[in-house]
Amino acid sequence: MKKNNTGDKIITIIGYLIAILWLIPLVWMVGTAFSEPSFKMSLFPKTAFTLDNIKYVWNAVPFKTYYINTILIVIVTFTIQVFTSTMAAYALAVMDFKGVAIVFVIIFMQIIVPNDVLITPNFMVLRELGMLNTKLGIMLPFLGSAFGIFLLRQHFKSIPKSLAEAARIDGATTWQIIWRIYMPCAKPAYLSFAVVSISYHWNNYLWPLIVTNSVNNRTLTVGLALFAKSKEANLQWANVCAATFIIVFPLIILFFILQKQFIDSFMSSGIK
């Protein structure tokens, strides 16, 4: 028992140390964003608290447009992903058709392939379709999610088929079975997928940078990168950190509000 307690304490200490290391960049960013500009860098701010950096950045860069674009892209992409992933996961988990194993393997292989590898072929396809520099062009390669299909398929397989059979005997259609049985039972999996999808597309940088070339279609991350290189940044880390804070603030608030649900959903979905 003593050995186990000692081991648990060591693991806890290591966990705290790792957490502190991960928090250092966030603490520095927040502190610098709300302190007066200075050419000296320090972990904790040494100047007075101020909101001038946030006001300056918000007025110097069209963050309102970037916010609208990003929120629209994230919501539409996730909504369509939920529909396509649910349909595919139900087919792979419940329906018995020829080649189901092969289809599942092909979808699973897409999880292994990084999205950055597909940038060139995706770009060429969008160019042929005339969809470059459009919001739909940013979303199109991600409207189907191999990760979402895999996650929901694994969760659907754990749901007893007797529930669906009883509902079908009562006259329920396939869509009603999916909507009223499988989707409610897989709520933890959907929440886990929401965390992954929303955070990924909110922070996605490379693909929107390549596809877009106008303010009307740029996302927050692209706007931040362009601002950091612009004269409006004034070579001040305070301004860059203020712009970064504007971008990450919604995700931080969302995490603190729903952190318990996030952790519970990942645990119940088997994500470690």
Side-chain angles (χ1 to χ4, degrees), residues 1-261:
M1 294 297 292
K2 291 184 178 179
K3 291 183 178 180
N4 292 336
N5 291 335
T6 303
D8 292 341
K9 290 180 179 179
I10 294 175
I11 293 175
T12 302
I13 294 172
I14 293 175
Y16 278 119
L17 292 176
I18 294 175
I20 292 172
L21 290 175
W22 277 97
L23 280 175
I24 288 175
L26 180 62
V27 171
W28 174 80
M29 183 268 293
V30 174
T32 306
F34 290 96
S35 60
E36 295 179 356
S38 174
F39 290 101
K40 296 182 179 179
M41 296 179 61
S42 60
L43 178 59
F44 299 102
K46 297 181 179 180
T47 57
F49 176 86
T50 180
L51 294 174
D52 292 341
N53 301 326
I54 302 293
K55 296 177 181 178
Y56 171 78
V57 170
W58 186 264
N59 294 325
V61 182
F63 270 111
K64 182 179 179 181
T65 302
Y66 295 155
Y67 253 104
I68 294 174
N69 294 341
T70 303
I71 292 173
L72 178 64
I73 290 171
V74 168
I75 292 177
V76 173
T77 301
F78 175 67
T79 301
I80 298 178
Q81 281 182 338
V82 168
F83 177 78
T84 56
S85 299
T86 299
M87 298 298 101
Y90 178 82
L92 293 172
V94 180
M95 300 178 66
D96 187 15
F97 59 92
K98 188 176 181 180
V100 60
I102 298 176
V103 173
F104 176 71
V105 170
I106 294 174
I107 293 175
F108 182 77
M109 289 175 61
Q110 296 182 36
I111 302 177
I112 304 174
V113 179
N115 290 324
D116 294 347
V117 176
L118 304 176
I119 285 180
T120 300
N122 286 339
F123 180 86
M124 295 174 65
V125 171
L126 289 184
R127 184 180 60 185
E128 294 296 325
L129 295 175
M131 296 175 61
L132 294 178
N133 195 33
T134 63
K135 297 180 183 65
L136 182 58
I138 299 175
M139 296 184 288
L140 191 60
F142 303 99
L143 297 183
S145 172
F147 172 76
I149 295 172
F150 173 77
L151 181 64
L152 294 177
R153 184 254 187 189
Q154 297 301 105
H155 210 98
F156 284 174
K157 288 185 70 70
S158 66
I159 299 174
K161 292 185 178 181
S162 57
L163 296 176
E165 294 173 354
R168 196 175 297 278
I169 292 175
D170 291 337
T173 63
T174 300
W175 173 247
Q176 289 174 330
I177 292 174
I178 296 174
W179 179 258
R180 297 181 179 179
I181 296 178
Y182 281 90
M183 292 183 70
C185 291
K187 182 179 178 181
Y190 281 104
L191 186 55
S192 300
F193 179 50
V195 174
V196 174
S197 177
I198 292 174
S199 61
Y200 176 82
H201 293 289
W202 187 276
N203 297 316
N204 194 11
Y205 167 71
L206 186 58
W207 176 246
L209 174 66
I210 294 174
V211 175
T212 61
N213 56 22
S214 67
V215 174
N216 294 332
N217 295 304
R218 284 175 181 150
T219 59
L220 285 168
T221 51
V222 177
L224 173 62
L226 296 177
F227 170 75
K229 299 177 182 178
S230 67
K231 61 181 181 181
E232 286 81 5
N234 289 334
L235 300 177
Q236 291 287 351
W237 281 109
N239 294 331
V240 176
C241 289
T244 305
F245 179 80
I246 291 175
I247 294 176
V248 303
F249 179 72
L251 293 181
I252 294 175
I253 295 299
L254 185 64
F255 172 76
F256 278 112
I257 293 176
L258 301 175
Q259 60 176 322
K260 186 177 185 301
Q261 290 85 342

Side-chain angles (χ1 to χ4, degrees), residues 147 150-151 192 196 262-272:
F147 172 76
F150 173 77
L151 181 64
S192 300
V196 174
F262 287 169
I263 296 174
D264 291 344
S265 66
F266 279 118
M267 294 295 291
S268 60
S269 298
I271 301 178
K272 299 181 180 179

